[in-house]
Amino acid sequence: MRAGFSALSQDRLLLDCRAALASVQALLDKERRVAGARACLSASDAVVAGNPASSLGHYIAAYANAILGEEDKLSSHLFRSWAIAPNELWLAALRARLFQEWPNMLGKVQPAVLDSDLRVLGTTEEGKKMLAQWYLSVPASRSVIAGAIDALAEQYRAAFVAELKEQANEMQ
């Protein structure tokens, strides 16, 4: 896989990688997913080599490394993605979803990354819904999510609690 010269074509390739690696077909076929992760890692490495400030390139490298079980590389790329774009909602959501898929990474990545991303998510309607669903479905994540939400202003904490109650009631 090779990206074009423009940033748009590079981002498109990287987003296609993310979609392919997260697809139902990839989730059901581990060998195919690993092969895809290697190809996407190669593509993200090429993008990052040409543009070290590609937060999406670093995120895709982290995601591919998660699939390949390369925790140190995952952590390094995830940190770089966050350091380059700490307040980009869509990237914060992607990085948080990585922790949803690999909850064992919660304590292995620099806490500032996840905490910051969770706080960004906690200030938006879509993010609040995502966090409430995650909170309810993965008990091991509750203390991390609660810690990030507690650092927000009262209006965001109250909105999160209301969303949490609403989703919990819908589950019953």
Side-chain angles (χ1 to χ4, degrees):
M1 266 188 282
R2 289 191 51 191
F5 292 113
S6 72
L8 180 62
S9 68
Q10 292 171 359
D11 285 356
R12 187 72 223 148
L13 172 65
L14 295 171
L15 291 170
D16 285 349
C17 272
R18 172 65 169 94
L21 295 175
S23 71
V24 173
Q25 185 178 15
L27 294 172
L28 294 175
D29 187 342
K30 183 176 168 115
E31 288 179 26
R32 182 173 277 175
R33 192 172 195 214
V34 168
R38 286 190 181 108
C40 289
L41 182 57
S42 177
S44 64
D45 284 347
V47 168
V48 167
N51 178 8
S54 173
S55 55
L56 179 59
H58 285 292
Y59 164 76
I60 296 300
Y63 191 68
N65 278 304
I67 292 167
L68 298 171
E70 298 285 344
E71 292 179 0
D72 290 340
K73 292 176 184 176
L74 178 163
S75 182
S76 174
H77 280 291
L78 201 62
F79 179 78
R80 287 184 209 148
S81 175
W82 169 78
I84 294 164
N87 297 315
E88 289 286 337
L89 176 63
W90 67 281
L91 281 166
L94 287 175
R95 290 187 298 255
R97 284 187 185 107
L98 191 143
F99 289 101
Q100 287 179 283
E101 192 169 343
W102 287 279
N104 61 318
M105 292 304 299
L106 283 172
K108 297 179 183 175
V109 174
Q110 294 186 25
V113 173
L114 182 59
D115 185 61
S116 174
D117 285 344
L118 295 178
R119 283 185 278 131
V120 167
L121 291 167
T123 62
T124 69
E125 189 68 26
E126 180 183 329
K128 159 182 78 163
K129 290 177 187 230
M130 178 184 150
L131 292 178
Q133 183 274 326
W134 185 12
Y135 184 95
L136 292 169
S137 64
V138 184
S141 68
R142 290 179 181 167
S143 63
V144 175
I145 294 170
I149 295 298
D150 284 345
L152 296 175
E154 175 58 34
Q155 70 188 45
Y156 299 117
R157 290 194 308 264
F160 175 76
V161 170
E163 179 64 31
L164 197 58
K165 287 178 181 177
E166 183 178 321
Q167 286 191 27
N169 287 336
E170 288 174 5
M171 292 173 72
Q172 294 179 359

